[in-house]
Amino acid sequence: MTALGAHADEFRALPRDLAPLCELVQGVLIHRDIAPWLYGLTLTEAQRDDGHLRPMAQMLSRIHALDARPLTDARDVGHRLPSVCRHFSLMLCSILRAQGVPARPRCGFGAYFTRGKFEDHWVCEYWNAAEKRWILVDAQLDAIQRKALNINFDPTDTPRNKFIIAGDAWQMCRRGGADPSLFGLTHIHESGLWFIAGNVLRDLASLNKMEMLPWDVWGAMDMNDAALTDEKKALLDRVAALTLAGDDAFAEMRAAYESDDRLRVPPVVFNALRNAAENVAS
């Protein structure tokens, strides 16, 4: 998903500091659901449809179709690519990887959008060699969103109690430490353990460089809690643990993903928003 194709040279020339990189991403993308609320931008359905783009190369082609200037030139809101949180995270991850920095989008839940709720969200995680730790970065939170949401932390070092990785959310709920009904998407009135389970599988796929859309469905994913059998819960217990186990368990995590058709992203997935099967590569 992060392959750049014809745009590789453009990425290599970008700045290396995180804050300017986040500003760059924010200058070419706009969250399609937040656009009317905070930016006064009403999008057509055709414009919102850009949010279904998966590969970075396709996103870059569309970004330049909307505005041919270099990526370092911030666009007005009407000429930014309508996206969601996953695209902000994927773009920052793509830039960092092109610069030789280990990075991966993480799927989980943000605690800073709706008071008392954990909203479906993605951030980027990168390896800070100097500090010898993985750091979460929310590349979506520009100055407008930070003010509107009263963000009181540095998005380039997002605290792990503010962004809950899906595996952590699963373990919290399975142990009785959190209410699954608080995890989901408030504006579409969907939440529950099944929602968390889907994000656990999306996070596993992302760790295996298959950074899917938040509404892509495949394999062991279900759309309601009743379908979560004891067998599936046990499988997800193991997957959640592997996604949180750290670098020492990377080979085991990769093997689990590659060997199980319930976990691995197939060539065709179900796009739940479009209610249609789609080829991942197209």
Side-chain angles (χ1 to χ4, degrees):
M1 293 295 172
T2 57
L4 302 177
H7 304 279
D9 289 342
E10 186 175 18
F11 265 41
R12 294 191 190 100
L14 297 179
R16 301 188 71 88
D17 291 340
L18 270 175
L21 286 178
C22 289
E23 291 177 3
L24 182 151
V25 172
Q26 295 156 9
V28 297
L29 304 181
I30 189 165
H31 196 294
R32 66 181 197 172
D33 297 323
I34 298 178
W37 169 44
L38 286 182
Y39 301 89
L41 178 65
T42 300
L43 299 168
T44 66
E45 281 305 309
Q47 289 173 313
R48 285 178 55 83
D49 205 52
D50 282 338
H52 293 281
L53 293 173
R54 291 185 184 87
M56 192 66 233
Q58 290 183 14
M59 289 173 56
L60 288 168
S61 294
R62 186 69 182 133
I63 287 169
H64 285 300
L66 293 169
D67 189 320
R69 292 179 299 160
L71 294 175
T72 48
D73 291 350
R75 280 71 165 150
D76 65 78
V77 294
H79 289 87
R80 298 177 191 174
L81 178 70
S83 309
V84 293
C85 51
R86 174 264 186 190
H87 298 93
F88 285 82
S89 303
L90 185 76
M91 186 166 185
L92 178 59
C93 173
S94 301
I95 295 171
L96 292 174
R97 286 179 180 173
Q99 295 178 344
V101 178
R104 62 257 187 121
R106 299 305 301 261
C107 181
F109 300 88
Y112 37 88
F113 295 101
T114 307
R115 183 181 296 274
K117 299 289 186 70
F118 301 91
E119 302 283 5
D120 182 35
H121 195 47
W122 291 65
V123 301
C124 180
E125 186 178 48
Y126 81 99
W127 177 252
N128 186 307
E131 299 182 22
K132 294 183 171 55
R133 66 183 179 108
W134 288 96
I135 296 178
L136 300 175
V137 181
D138 192 332
Q140 178 190 305
L141 296 179
D142 62 13
I144 292 173
Q145 293 180 42
R146 294 197 301 272
K147 180 179 179 180
L149 297 169
N150 296 311
I151 299 298
N152 60 1
F153 57 86
D154 179 1
T156 65
D157 192 353
T158 300
R160 291 179 184 268
N161 65 340
K162 298 294 186 180
F163 178 81
I164 314 298
I165 291 174
D168 279 320
W170 176 264
Q171 291 185 350
M172 288 163 58
C173 292
R174 288 282 280 160
R175 294 167 181 166
D179 181 354
S181 69
L182 300 179
F183 293 79
L185 260 184
T186 300
H187 78 275
I188 61 172
H189 309 291
E190 290 190 350
S191 64
L193 198 61
W194 68 271
F195 201 118
I196 301 169
N199 275 7
V200 170
L201 296 177
R202 292 184 189 95
D203 189 53
L204 174 69
S206 185
L207 291 173
N208 285 274
K209 293 190 174 182
M210 289 298 289
E211 302 90 351
M212 305 304 291
L213 296 175
W215 45 85
D216 281 336
V217 176
W218 70 88
M221 292 184 188
D222 294 301
M223 303 299 286
N224 57 75
D225 283 352
L228 285 173
T229 63
D230 288 343
E231 180 186 4
K232 279 191 176 177
K233 288 178 181 177
L235 172 67
L236 286 156
D237 286 342
R238 178 170 179 254
V239 171
L242 286 173
T243 63
L244 302 172
D247 298 340
D248 290 343
F250 184 74
E252 184 182 357
M253 182 272 296
R254 287 278 295 135
Y257 172 81
E258 290 290 352
S259 63
D260 195 328
D261 290 341
R262 297 171 297 177
L263 307 180
R264 190 174 61 254
V265 177
V268 177
V269 297
F270 181 73
N271 183 320
L273 289 190
R274 286 176 166 169
N275 196 31
E278 294 183 348
N279 291 317
V280 171
S282 62

